[in-house]
Amino acid sequence: MKKLSLSQIAGMSCMIFAIFFGAGNMIFPPSMGQQAGTNAPIALLGFVLSDVGIAVAGVLAVVLAGTSMYELASRISPRFAKILSLTVYLCIGPLFALPRCGSVSFEIGIIPFLDGFDPKLASFLFTFAFFGITLLLSLRKGKVVDIVGKVLTPILLLCILTLFIGVIVSPLGEVGVPRGDYQSIPFFKGVIEGYLALDGFAGLVFAILIVHSLKAFQISEHKQVVKYTIICTSIAAVLLIAVYTILLIIGIQTSSMELFANGGNLLTYVTNTLFGKTGNLILALTVTLACLTTSIGLSTSFSDYLCNEYPKLSYLPTLIGVCLFSFIIANVGLNQLIIVVQPLLVTIYPIVTILALVSLFTPYLKEHTANTMKCGMLFVLPFSFMDGMKTAHINIPFFSDLMKNMPLFSVGLGWLLPAIIGCTLGYFLHYRRNKRTLPR
């Protein structure tokens, strides 16, 4: 039976870490640290639970069910599985996350160096190079571990470690008091920040890439695939938590200062203060690498999904099309797409969360699994829809006012209690129905 070496496990773990760790993951924790101040550890706990926890659950749920999100969702129905899979892949692929990788790395990493150069032309040239590199490094999907895990991730981690050493050697300031919701509900505020990072989608999407990478190491037996997925994903989760903690500490040291507009501005200030212009280079390299590794994971996974779903398509032309489309959107229509796509993401994220978490309990739920999922989703959908409407700044008379009275709706988690009630009812209704049909 084929086994992975320690270096292969390390490479796989670093790859999983890197494809999850994008620009959003880099700028959320420092901003949270600045706003949470003395309550930052509690907020981080909530963030880790909803970000890392749901992401890992998504990967494991898909791998335990088979190799793809479709196999996971088909427990409800094939049509539901097809619609959900396509929607998630489109949203987290070329319609949102992929073009955002290019635009965010440009905004944080490149704009500080323009010095009068035309921003639109600079954005065009940078994103062309960014998605060109994404294309080149995604050509051989079996080599993603070597490219991302063994080359790009160590450089990324070294850059983050450099920033951490800088704030330890030269502290930026005293720890301040919590602000806003971090003062009254730090844990739930952290949960919602992790929830909005949307890594639960990424877990379902990246699972197929992990499976393909293991197959490149001749790990194809299902039990072995599950075993090494659990090992490597757990190590990647520890790395994510460690990096989030480092970035949180950086943010905490600015918590007595005036609030920055976002985590990107905060990191720009920190790197400038600690290292001057060299700091800008460190930040540019860090953000670009974080976005590039995620871009490689997304483009590879999405292209592979399309080829599996539509066998007439071949990998290379599909990959070229995905990268070209993402390049165009990053330059001409990203802001408009975000207005449409983000409310959709917020609406279906609770559905995806239930799908992943309930699937993990399949060995215990057994024949109750599908009914538990269906009932949980039915209860959740009205509340997640209203969350989406709130994200889109659309007010629906009567219903919007009614939802405001739901527990946790104000922090974007109004669906949580209905999810628990729905899943519980689904389990016991199925249980009672089965009991009645037993022969006497």
Side-chain angles (χ1 to χ4, degrees), residues 54-281:
I54 296 176
V56 170
V59 171
L60 297 183
V62 170
V63 173
L64 287 169
T67 59
S68 68
M69 191 195 323
Y70 178 86
E71 291 180 56
L72 184 67
S74 60
R75 289 169 172 169
I76 295 179
S77 78
R79 179 175 293 180
F80 170 80
K82 191 165 188 175
I83 293 171
L84 182 67
S85 298
L86 183 60
T87 303
V88 169
Y89 271 101
L90 282 171
C91 288
I92 203 159
L95 289 186
F96 181 69
L98 254 175
R100 192 180 68 167
C101 285
S103 61
V104 169
S105 56
F106 171 74
E107 288 171 9
I108 298 177
I110 305 302
I111 283 181
F113 297 98
L114 290 183
D115 291 332
F117 194 82
D118 182 6
K120 289 186 178 179
L121 177 59
S123 174
F124 181 90
L125 295 173
F126 175 82
T127 51
F128 182 82
F130 181 90
F131 288 108
I133 294 170
T134 296
L135 172 64
L136 290 173
L137 297 183
S138 302
L139 288 175
R140 300 178 65 186
K141 54 189 175 184
K143 291 292 183 181
V144 173
V145 173
D146 291 332
I147 296 166
V148 175
K150 296 181 180 179
V151 179
L152 299 181
T153 306
I155 300 172
L156 171 60
L157 290 173
L158 183 61
C159 291
I160 294 171
L161 186 61
T162 302
L163 295 179
F164 180 62
I165 292 172
V167 297
I168 294 299
V169 173
S170 303
L172 297 166
E174 299 293 327
V175 179
V177 296
R179 313 183 204 200
D181 288 336
Y182 287 106
Q183 188 171 16
S184 53
I185 49 169
F187 176 78
F188 283 110
K189 182 62 175 174
V191 167
I192 196 63
E193 289 296 321
Y195 163 62
L196 291 175
L198 302 175
D199 278 334
F201 288 114
L204 298 173
V205 169
F206 290 147
I208 194 170
L209 179 58
I210 296 168
V211 171
H212 280 307
S213 298
L214 287 171
K215 286 182 178 178
F217 290 128
Q218 284 79 54
I219 304 293
S220 55
E221 187 183 338
H222 185 64
K223 285 186 178 179
Q224 289 287 87
V225 170
V226 172
K227 171 188 170 182
Y228 284 114
T229 298
I230 291 172
I231 292 171
C232 296
T233 305
S234 298
I235 294 171
V238 171
L239 274 175
L240 280 168
I241 294 169
V243 170
Y244 288 155
T245 304
I246 287 173
L247 293 170
L248 187 86
I249 291 170
I250 292 173
I252 288 172
Q253 292 199 3
T254 67
S255 57
S256 57
M257 303 177 188
E258 186 177 342
L259 282 179
F260 291 92
N262 53 57
N265 290 345
L266 188 156
L267 288 173
T268 300
Y269 165 79
V270 170
T271 52
N272 260 312
T273 302
L274 294 174
F275 306 107
K277 288 190 176 180
T278 304
N280 286 339
L281 289 172

